[in-house]
């Protein structure tokens, strides 16, 4: 009897092992399929990487931005910006292939020399540093919002979305320690999670729109064309579609890198981004157009849900996006620090090339022997000191600006009207006009001149309007 029981137990154990092995094999197969489909260098993987770099915090302000131009005109602008984004990123990849340079600053050096490269680095620093300011404002808003939801009886200075208490605390306790690490590869998973939470937010906005608003009624009362609102809609859209700083790196890592394959990646990226931006902008605007007088406040779609007593799905989105941005923030600090280092630490190109030539000619051993006396350790110590100094400066400078700027949308508008048009449109056109050898009257060159000139004038107009128009509304 006991032998039969033991046999039955053995059979049951083996069957359970078979089931677990099958489930594990299914999981491994799914993981293997995902890894093969989205591995770095593949068309799918490169597309996913660029989409993750494109869809970020800018999406939160798009309902406000589209509403300022009217629903129909706002959607038209979103489509035009997507088409221009595809054109300019394709142009940038083509310029990289023509010059055999796969870095934005290297391409600037190859086309217009060191002075222009210095200018490009300055614009990139303002771009990266301004992005950190935006995320700091967003974190402050989300912290204040979370405390107002879960602890409504706390003092106002703790639950206010513009609180001066939280930025120094989370900057010193979370952002600074994480940013001091040199190897931030583990935090890249936070960016992946952030993209997932943004897509969850898209679902929340669409799902909640029909529950908290009469969309048909709101569509009838919504403005469709407000031409004067272009100056407020264009900059956030330019900011949202910007992934140009990553294009050359993605193209260089692409397996079998050709312009045709890269164009597939770029088209898919802009198409997905356009769909997400239009859905969030349109549904977000139609949901709250009757809750927000003249659509003046607030400009962050997450905070707009305070008008409908915070649905549970929205609260979850607030918490998830807040945690993710805290973890991903050092990934924005690092390029800002690197850009600042490139600006203040001047190193002659000839010296760098000479060191490379010496290493290639076999003099690397002699160079290493010269550092045995401790000079190499001293250099490493100075490098660490410089790293810490730059990180501290970037972290706290953007924190102080964020504390007084308060409005995330205002910073996005300023960047979208100044630095981002240069990176997204003007610089790629300038690179192409320098590298292309076709006659001046060729259609490609004439169209490139048109885009360059038009975007330059529009950027000047939007920047001028930003400083002339006062807006004291919260984020």
């Amino acid at each position: 009897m006991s032998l039969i029981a033991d046999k039955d137990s053995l059979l049951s154990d083996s069957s359970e092992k078979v089931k677990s092995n099958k489930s594990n094999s299914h999981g491994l197969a799914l993981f293997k399929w995902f890894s093969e489909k989205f591995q770095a260098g593949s068309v799918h993987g490169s597309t996913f990487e660029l989409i993750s770099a494109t869809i970020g915090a800018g999406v939160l302000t798009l309902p406000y931005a589209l509403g300022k131009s009217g629903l129909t005109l706002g959607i038209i602008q979103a489509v035009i910006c997507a088409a221009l984004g595809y054109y300019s990123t394709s142009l940038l990849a083509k310029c990289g292939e023509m010059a055999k340079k796969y870095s934005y600053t290297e391409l600037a050096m190859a086309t217009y020399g060191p002075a222009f490269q210095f200018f490009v680095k300055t614009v990139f620093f303002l771009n990266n540093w301004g992005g950190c300011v935006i995320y700091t404002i967003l974190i402050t808003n989300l912290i204040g919002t979370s405390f107002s939801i879960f602890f409504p009886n706390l003092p106002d200075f703790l639950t206010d979305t513009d609180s001066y208490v939280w930025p120094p605390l989370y900057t010193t306790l979370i952002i600074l320690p994480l940013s001091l690490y040199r190897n931030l590869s583990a935090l890249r998973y936070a960016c992946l999670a952030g993209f997932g939470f943004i897509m969850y937010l898209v679902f929340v906005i669409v799902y909640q729109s029909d529950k908290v608003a009469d969309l048909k009624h709101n569509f009838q009362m919504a403005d469709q064309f407000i031409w004067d609102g272009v100056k407020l809609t264009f900059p956030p859209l330019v900011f949202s579609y910007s992934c140009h700083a990553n294009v050359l790196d993605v193209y260089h890592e692409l397996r079998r890198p050709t312009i045709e394959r890269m164009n597939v990646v770029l088209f898919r990226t802009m198409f997905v981004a356009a769909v997400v931006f239009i859905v969030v902008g349109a549904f977000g605007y139609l949901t709250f157009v009757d809750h927000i007088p003249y659509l003046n406040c607030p400009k962050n779609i997450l905070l707009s849900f305070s008008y409908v007593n915070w649905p549970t799905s929205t609260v979850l989105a607030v918490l998830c996006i807040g945690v993710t941005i805290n973890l991903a923030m050092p990934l924005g600090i690092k390029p800002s620090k690197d850009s600042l280092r490139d600006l203040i630490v001047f190193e002659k190109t000839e010296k760098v090339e000479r060191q490379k030539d010496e290493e290639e000619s076999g003099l690397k051993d002699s160079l290493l022997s010269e550092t045995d006396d401790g000079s190499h350790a001293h250099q490493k110590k100075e490098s660490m000191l410089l790293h810490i100094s730059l990180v501290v400066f970037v972290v706290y400078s953007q924190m102080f600006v964020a504390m007084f700027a308060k409005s995330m949308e205002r910073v996005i508008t300023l960047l979208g009207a100044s630095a981002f048009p240069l990176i997204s449109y003007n610089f790629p056109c300038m690179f192409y006009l320098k590298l292309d050898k076709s006659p001046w009257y060729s259609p490609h060159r004439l169209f490139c001149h048109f885009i360059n000139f038009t975007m330059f004038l529009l950027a000047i107009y939007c920047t001028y309007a930003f400083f002339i128009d006062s807006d004291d509304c919260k984020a």
Side-chain angles (χ1 to χ4, degrees):
M1 192 71 173
S2 61
L3 291 175
I4 296 176
D6 292 340
K7 183 178 180 181
D8 292 337
S9 63
L10 289 173
L11 289 174
S12 62
D13 292 341
S14 63
S15 63
E16 290 178 359
K17 289 181 179 180
V18 170
K19 291 180 180 179
S20 63
N21 289 334
K22 286 183 178 181
S23 61
N24 290 336
S25 63
H26 289 313
L28 291 174
L30 180 62
F31 177 78
K32 184 179 180 181
W33 176 86
F34 185 85
S35 300
E36 291 177 353
K37 281 289 184 180
F38 294 93
Q39 61 183 323
S42 66
V43 171
H44 295 292
S46 300
T47 302
F48 184 77
E49 182 177 351
L50 273 185
I51 290 175
S52 300
T54 305
I55 301 176
V59 72
L60 301 176
T61 65
L62 290 183
Y64 166 83
L66 265 65
K68 280 297 185 180
S69 283
L71 184 62
T72 302
L73 183 58
I75 293 176
I76 292 174
Q77 289 182 78
V79 174
I80 292 175
C81 285
L84 289 175
Y86 170 72
Y87 171 77
S88 58
T89 51
S90 178
L91 204 65
L92 189 59
K94 186 181 296 184
C95 291
E97 180 63 25
M98 294 166 64
K100 300 301 178 184
K101 300 294 183 182
Y102 303 104
S103 166
Y104 213 112
T105 54
E106 289 180 1
L107 191 56
M109 179 69 182
T111 50
Y112 293 98
F116 184 72
Q117 184 190 42
F118 182 84
F119 176 66
V120 170
K121 288 181 177 180
T122 303
V123 174
F124 262 86
F125 169 71
L126 295 175
N127 167 38
N128 296 324
W129 183 82
C132 295
V133 173
I134 292 170
Y135 281 116
T136 299
I137 296 174
L138 179 57
I139 294 173
T140 304
N141 292 339
L142 296 182
I143 290 178
T145 300
S146 300
F147 272 82
S148 66
I149 295 173
F150 295 105
F151 308 101
N153 296 324
L154 288 177
D156 291 340
F157 70 89
L158 294 178
T159 59
D160 190 2
T161 56
D162 295 333
S163 174
Y164 291 106
V165 175
W166 298 117
L169 286 177
Y170 70 72
T171 297
T172 303
L173 298 177
I174 299 176
I175 304 300
L176 180 61
L178 290 176
S179 301
L180 288 174
Y181 282 101
R182 289 180 178 269
N183 185 8
L184 301 176
S185 58
L187 295 180
R188 297 190 183 277
Y189 293 106
C191 290
L192 179 62
F195 172 75
F197 292 137
I198 290 292
M199 299 309 296
Y200 169 71
L201 176 64
V202 175
F203 165 77
V204 168
I205 292 173
V206 175
Y207 174 75
Q208 292 292 344
S209 61
D210 189 50
K211 291 182 174 297
V212 302
D214 185 349
L215 296 183
K216 184 177 180 179
H217 169 73
N218 287 359
F219 180 80
Q220 294 174 350
M221 67 176 294
D223 294 313
Q224 300 298 325
F225 289 90
I226 307 175
W227 294 101
D228 187 54
V230 171
K231 64 179 181 290
L232 296 173
T233 304
F234 173 74
L237 285 173
V238 173
F239 177 89
S240 299
Y241 279 107
S242 181
C243 61
H244 297 65
N246 306 87
V247 167
L248 290 173
D249 290 334
V250 171
Y251 177 62
H252 186 53
E253 295 174 358
L254 187 65
R255 293 202 303 267
R256 302 190 306 278
T258 62
I259 297 299
E260 291 75 15
R261 284 170 59 83
M262 189 61 187
N263 284 341
V264 173
V265 172
L266 297 173
F267 178 81
R268 293 177 179 177
T269 298
M270 292 300 163
F271 178 80
V272 173
V275 171
V276 171
F277 295 158
I278 291 173
V279 168
V280 172
F283 278 89
Y285 171 54
L286 291 177
T287 301
F288 298 106
V289 67
D290 58 343
H291 287 276
I292 307 172
Y294 308 109
L295 201 70
N296 282 331
C297 240
K299 299 172 183 177
N300 181 342
I301 184 62
L302 285 177
L303 304 185
S304 300
F305 282 96
S306 62
Y307 289 92
V308 291
N309 296 323
W310 292 107
T312 304
S313 57
T314 309
V315 174
L316 181 61
V318 168
L319 296 176
C320 293
I321 292 176
V323 172
T324 304
I325 291 176
N326 271 283
L327 294 177
M329 182 77 169
L331 295 176
I333 297 293
K334 186 180 185 301
S336 304
K337 183 264 298 181
D338 293 340
S339 299
L340 183 60
R341 181 200 60 212
D342 292 341
L343 288 173
I344 67 175
V345 180
F346 179 75
E347 190 171 21
K348 293 182 178 180
T349 306
E350 294 82 3
K351 182 179 178 180
V352 176
E353 294 297 330
R354 185 168 61 252
Q355 289 177 349
K356 291 181 178 179
D357 294 338
E358 289 176 349
E359 291 179 359
E360 292 175 358
S361 62
L363 296 179
K364 185 175 180 180
D365 293 337
S366 62
L367 291 175
L368 291 175
S369 63
E370 292 176 1
T371 62
D372 291 340
D373 58 354
S375 60
H376 180 69
H378 179 66
Q379 182 180 1
K380 185 175 181 180
K381 182 179 179 180
E382 288 182 341
S383 176
M384 178 59 70
L385 179 62
L386 179 63
H387 168 73
I388 295 175
S389 302
L390 292 177
V391 168
V392 170
F393 173 79
V394 170
V395 167
Y396 283 103
S397 62
Q398 60 86 24
M399 183 202 73
F400 282 114
V401 172
M403 289 174 64
F404 294 99
K406 296 184 179 181
S407 174
M408 181 178 73
E409 184 273 340
R410 293 285 286 173
V411 180
I412 288 177
T413 301
L414 178 59
L415 289 176
S418 55
F420 277 85
L422 291 174
I423 296 173
S424 301
Y425 306 122
N426 296 112
F427 290 163
C429 289
M430 293 173 65
F431 295 151
Y432 180 76
L433 293 172
K434 183 70 173 180
L435 295 170
D436 181 58
K437 303 303 180 184
S438 60
W440 66 268
Y441 52 83
S442 65
H444 288 294
R445 291 185 68 88
L446 291 178
F447 184 72
C448 201
H449 276 297
F450 171 76
I451 295 297
N452 193 20
F453 183 70
T454 303
M455 291 299 105
F456 182 72
L457 290 182
L458 191 55
I460 291 177
Y461 168 67
C462 292
T463 305
Y464 172 79
F466 172 85
F467 288 105
I468 294 300
D469 296 343
S470 61
D471 191 350
D472 298 328
C473 183
K474 293 183 180 182

